[in-house]
Amino acid sequence: MTDILIDTSDSVTTLTLNRVAKKNSFTTAMYSAMADALTQAQADASVRVVVFQGHETIFSSGNDIADFLKNPPTSVDAPVFQFLRAINLFTKPIIAAVCGPAVGIGTTMLFHCDLVYAGDNAAFAMPFVNLGVCPEAASSLLAPQRMGYGRAAEALLLGEPFLAESALEMGLVSRIVPPAEANALARRQAQKLATKPMASLLATKQLMKQGQASLVAQRMAEEAVIFGRMLGEPAAREAFSAFMEKRQPDFSSF
Ligand code: COA
């Protein structure tokens, strides 16, 4: 599909988010395409590394809110949850190049990437509370772990954005570069990884994440149940309607 460009060359599968007019927001079809691409890259011995990249001006504005209203992910088998399970269980290295806004799952998917290279214009946000829902992608577990509880509370309870420098300081991002260089750097690093012994890469990633994958899977499942329920509740309906109507939400009665 053209909203996700998938290219495999020189042992690297690159997924390019390519829906810039809608700020690379993710539709159900895009989640399915990414889940399938990860499953294929996992099974294909010739693929050693996966790269996610967006555009110089935008990584992703998160879930496509219109699509979300049409196809709410109320089942644990919804494409978004298939994608999240696939990225959590992916055993080969994953690199992301992030420029511009990375909102919602645009940020939380990065907790599952091994190396994140950010443009100096990158801005991360997890505004789930502001949308009347709760964290996903196990970000309720991984954000406090990675950022410390205080900064995670600012990001998750207040929904406050944070910039590339803070993301670098907290270890979510490995390096900051000019936006025009981020995708190329991700590619170079992927090619470097692809020349290394695969068994060592797999063992090292597995050891670094030991014990974590099942905790993450459990938290994702718990979040999915709460998220699915909250989507149908008045606060989320108000938040999503407000976004579609380009106005501020009014939570005064919720
Ligand atoms: N879902 C659906 N459509 C979206 C979208 C989303 N998450 N994010 C952006 N779009 C659409 C806008 O509705 C607009 O469509 P239009 O041209 O038909 O009016 C288009 O993409 C451009 O977005 P716009 O908001 O005008 O761009 P911007 O540069 O002013 O702001 C963002 C960019 C990312 C800051 C802003 O779009 C935003 O905050 N998006 C919502 C983020 C969000 O809450 N995501 C949900 C997380 S669960």
Side-chain angles (χ1 to χ4, degrees):
M1 64 142 33
T2 53
D3 288 345
I4 303 282
L5 303 177
I6 301 171
D7 166 76
T8 298
S9 54
D10 301 330
S11 310
V12 178
T13 292
T14 302
L15 284 80
T16 304
L17 315 184
N18 185 43
R19 194 171 179 246
V20 176
K22 291 287 180 186
K23 300 290 164 185
N24 287 340
S25 52
F26 292 114
T27 59
T28 312
M30 288 163 78
Y31 286 125
S32 290
M34 294 193 296
D36 290 351
L38 285 176
T39 304
Q40 216 170 313
Q42 181 68 58
D44 183 345
S46 74
V47 175
R48 291 170 163 243
V49 185
V50 163
V51 173
F52 284 96
Q53 63 184 20
H55 185 262
E56 255 175 69
T57 59
I58 178 80
F59 182 64
S60 171
S61 63
N63 288 302
D64 179 310
I65 290 174
D67 188 60
F68 224 50
L69 291 170
K70 244 187 291 157
N71 305 302
T74 42
S75 136
V76 289
D77 287 324
V80 58
F81 299 130
Q82 286 179 20
F83 165 64
L84 290 175
R85 281 196 292 273
I87 201 170
N88 178 39
L89 296 176
F90 199 74
T91 60
K92 304 174 187 180
I94 306 178
I95 301 181
V98 181
C99 298
V103 186
I105 197 164
T107 287
T108 59
M109 64 181 279
L110 304 176
F111 291 122
H112 303 277
C113 297
D114 302 292
L115 294 161
V116 179
Y117 295 112
D120 56 22
N121 61 347
F124 305 86
M126 299 182 281
F128 302 112
V129 165
N130 302 346
L131 292 166
V133 290
C134 70
E136 34 74 327
S139 54
S140 61
L141 173 75
L142 299 173
Q145 266 182 14
R146 297 283 289 273
M147 302 163 71
Y149 189 87
R151 286 190 293 197
E154 280 196 328
L156 284 173
L157 292 177
L158 281 169
E160 286 196 346
F162 52 97
L163 300 179
E165 284 294 342
S166 315
L168 180 70
E169 192 199 320
M170 59 183 75
L172 177 61
V173 156
S174 307
R175 207 186 300 176
I176 301 174
V177 293
E181 293 172 21
N183 289 0
L185 173 61
R187 177 81 198 171
R188 279 202 308 281
Q189 300 296 77
Q191 279 167 340
K192 241 190 254 174
L193 282 171
T195 63
K196 296 187 187 294
M198 196 60 202
S200 291
L201 287 177
L202 293 174
T204 303
K205 177 163 173 168
Q206 198 239 322
L207 286 164
M208 287 201 294
K209 295 205 156 200
Q210 196 144 43
Q212 183 87 332
S214 59
L215 285 178
V216 166
Q218 192 188 330
R219 183 62 62 91
M220 279 181 178
E222 287 164 3
E223 289 172 346
V225 170
I226 302 171
F227 193 100
R229 175 170 50 72
M230 294 188 98
L231 266 184
E233 291 177 355
R237 285 177 186 280
E238 166 59 10
F240 290 130
S241 305
F243 178 80
M244 298 307 293
E245 292 159 16
K246 298 189 189 288
R247 63 172 171 82
Q248 286 302 312
D250 174 6
F251 296 126
S252 55
S253 47
F254 311 126

